[in-house]
Amino acid sequence: MNDPEVAREYHRATMHDPSGLRPEDPRLVRGYRPLQWDRKPPQFKTYPGLEGLPLPDDVSHTSGSELGMGLLSRLLFLSAGVVRTADLGGEALFFRAAGSAGNLSPIEVYLVTGDLPELEAGVYHYEPVEHALVRLRPAPSNTPPALVLTGVPWRTAWKYRERGFRHLYWDAGTMLAHTLALAEEAELAVSVELGFVDDHVTALVGADGVHEFALAVVALSGSVALPEPEEVPAGHLADDPLEFPLVTLAQRAGDLAADEDVEGWRRAVRSLSGERASFDDGPSLNRPLDEVIRRRGSCRQFDPGRIAPAEVLGDAMAWATRAVPGDFVADGATLLEHYLTVHAVEGVGPGAYRWRGGELELLRAGEVRDAAGHLCLDQALGASGAYTAFHSARLEDVLGALGSRGYRAAQFEAGIVEGRLHLFAYDRGFGATGLTFYDREVARFFACEAVPMLVTAVGAPLHAPVPGGLPRRPVLLRRT
Ligand SMILES: Cc1cc2nc3c(=O)[nH]c(=O)nc-3n(C[C@H](O)[C@H](O)[C@H](O)COP(=O)(O)O)c2cc1C
């Protein structure tokens, strides 16, 4: 259980390389053709025949920290709701509050709760299109409220094959960046728990452990006490989902089987003396969070001529790299290191840098746009922004201390930083996008031991995204 070797092998087998050659690993699915449109998985899990309980329309800031329908509506909509839609020749394509690689959003959200004002205790599934909760079963009335996030590998592997396993944690992270910011504003004692008995949580929400499995539990009131599993309706994920055995293996290798293993996980986390995260009392957002989140959208083109003010780098990085409240990093610590290519930032010369302890350390001065574009899988978005941040981890240290589950944690924290950088950039009138990358080339370029987990490019959008809509009233995007 939790053997680090499996994550190591998975990571190696799913690297991008400029040669375009697929790595050798007998467990990779050979001959799979990505993006077969007649097999495209549905965007959402559904429960045909089960009526949802609509959440309130109002997602504006409600004062106080009492968790009721108002705050739940705000948390769920602004983290996982549908904000935009496009018409694909009669079929709707939905865009969510948080970014997701390829807009595939392979995350499902469940609420497990005791009695709340206007909400009966139960295990609920969040329906993003209807902005409603479907009750799957009852729960003890004193169950502390928590969210369970699951990943649906086929939804992302349909395009990204086995590399999609990484996306589950990235996309859960961008979503939770929103949840964390909203919870902080509401003064909820939120905590992101990665230490749980996998089979328990998976069964609790009616997932099967292969086509859908548990990623994280988010305590909304300080503690987690999940009820025992019992039968729940199965729901519908896809007609013909394909399993990628290496993904199942990579996930299962990190599983915790019993409460003792969860204790062991927490001890191992505390023993890992990583880098210090940024401090909480640093910069903050200027605008209301719902406005920032509805403005957010991934930049499709940056204006390379615009120089970003220093705060769009320094304050943004400080805000984005704050410690995550949870059980997968020791208090005030982080699993990550951040390397940057700086292209156009006031007062910071172009070059390669490391972000450490709230400061930029120059590694190499000089124009780095072309190199950055190349590192980001030869995508222009990696080169044309004000800077590009490579969220990286000393994977050997992480896996050595935390086993294969540590792999989940490092990818997940990178997703959270990515999501937070978006929010800060949009707050200051700038923009951002997540990017994928050539794994080995990035570590070589920065001459560092840490390997990249995820990339965020930040810059001035050439065309600002159309602001997103409200619950059940997403903005209809016109196709150009
Ligand atoms: C983890 C992650 C990786 C991404 N990678 C890329 C990428 O390599 N290239 C790209 O153009 N966009 C990338 N994106 C942006 C997504 O395509 C975008 O989030 C998605 O289409 C949804 O659109 P929205 O962010 O505007 O809501 C990425 C986003 C995320 C969250």
Side-chain angles (χ1 to χ4, degrees), residues 61-368:
H61 182 47
T62 43
S63 59
S65 61
E66 195 192 27
L67 192 62
M69 289 297 265
L71 185 50
L72 270 177
S73 178
R74 179 172 167 85
L75 280 177
L76 289 167
F77 178 72
L78 294 171
S79 301
V82 169
V83 292
R84 302 183 182 90
T85 178
D87 180 0
L88 283 190
E91 207 181 309
L93 177 69
F94 298 101
F95 292 83
R96 315 283 288 272
S100 158
N103 191 40
L104 296 168
S105 300
I107 311 300
E108 295 293 323
V109 183
Y110 300 83
L111 169 71
V112 182
T113 185
D115 286 325
L116 293 176
E118 301 165 80
L119 190 69
E120 219 182 330
V123 174
Y124 294 84
H125 177 253
Y126 177 58
E127 310 283 316
V129 177
E130 291 87 29
H131 189 50
L133 290 170
V134 166
R135 191 160 182 260
L136 305 179
R137 52 160 277 190
S141 59
N142 59 353
T143 307
L147 301 178
V148 172
L149 269 52
T150 63
V152 181
W154 168 232
R155 216 181 276 161
T156 180
W158 169 75
K159 178 173 180 187
Y160 298 109
R161 311 181 194 203
E162 286 86 353
R163 196 171 162 100
F165 174 64
R166 305 186 190 199
H167 297 220
L168 299 178
Y169 289 93
W170 295 346
D171 291 350
T174 62
M175 180 187 288
L176 272 198
H178 294 204
T179 315
L180 288 170
L182 291 157
E184 193 178 340
E185 177 190 62
E187 296 174 16
L188 280 187
V190 74
S191 164
V192 183
E193 306 290 313
L194 257 56
F196 52 83
V197 176
D198 292 76
D199 285 349
H200 177 174
V201 179
T202 293
L204 177 70
V205 298
D208 67 359
V210 172
H211 298 297
E212 183 185 9
F213 41 69
L215 305 178
V217 177
V218 184
L220 297 176
S221 72
S223 63
V224 176
L226 298 173
E228 284 308 310
E230 58 182 55
E231 187 135 358
V232 292
H236 179 261
L237 288 171
D239 286 338
D240 184 19
L242 182 66
E243 180 187 355
F244 289 77
L246 190 57
V247 169
T248 312
L249 202 67
Q251 172 72 10
R252 299 310 296 240
D255 277 2
L256 302 177
D259 290 343
E260 303 89 81
D261 300 325
V262 174
E263 282 311 311
W265 160 261
R266 296 198 177 126
R267 272 196 307 277
V269 167
R270 284 194 294 272
S271 73
L272 183 64
S273 57
E275 293 280 314
R276 305 308 300 163
S278 300
F279 293 108
D280 265 346
D281 53 357
S284 53
L285 301 185
N286 291 337
R287 300 175 201 252
L289 250 181
D290 42 326
E291 187 189 317
V292 175
I293 289 175
R294 285 173 50 209
R295 273 168 188 248
R296 191 215 64 84
S298 297
C299 284
R300 299 295 82 198
Q301 254 183 309
F302 290 120
D303 176 354
R306 286 265 304 279
I307 295 179
E311 63 161 2
V312 170
L313 194 164
D315 287 357
M317 285 298 294
W319 195 77
T321 59
R322 281 168 309 139
V324 176
D327 73 345
F328 63 96
V329 277
D331 269 355
T334 172
L335 300 174
L336 303 178
E337 298 178 0
H338 306 273
Y339 294 85
L340 284 79
T341 55
V342 176
H343 318 137
V345 178
E346 209 170 63
V348 187
Y353 291 83
R354 177 165 175 195
W355 170 264
R356 181 164 24 191
E359 306 277 337
L360 276 181
E361 267 176 31
L362 179 66
L363 302 176
R364 215 160 50 245
E367 195 52 56
V368 281

